Amino acid sequence: MNAFNQHPCQAFRARELHELLGMPTDAATVNVTRSCLGRLTRQGFLTQPGRGPYQKRT
């Protein structure tokens, strides 16, 4: 959520978020992040303005 707070108008894909945070970009860890982003979207913290990118709800 910190990356979304620092860039509130920018949409991130899961892999881009990993690169921004310096995390490993292998498929397994990106999929875990993608599922966490989906959960945050369902809880109302993020929006998904298309297929793939996630953005902070304004």
Side-chain angles (χ1 to χ4, degrees):
M1 285 302 297
N2 195 18
F4 289 104
N5 288 333
Q6 291 177 358
H7 308 281
C9 295
Q10 185 174 354
F12 293 102
R13 293 184 173 276
R15 185 171 302 278
E16 293 170 351
L17 198 56
H18 270 246
E19 291 171 357
L20 178 71
L21 298 174
M23 298 170 65
T25 57
D26 59 289
T29 56
V30 172
N31 284 336
V32 170
T33 300
R34 192 173 288 120
S35 68
C36 290
L37 292 171
R39 186 180 74 238
L40 289 170
T41 301
R42 288 188 300 277
Q43 291 175 346
F45 294 107
L46 302 176
T47 61
Q48 196 171 11
R51 187 167 185 225
Y54 295 89
Q55 188 173 13
K56 183 177 179 183
R57 184 177 295 273
T58 54

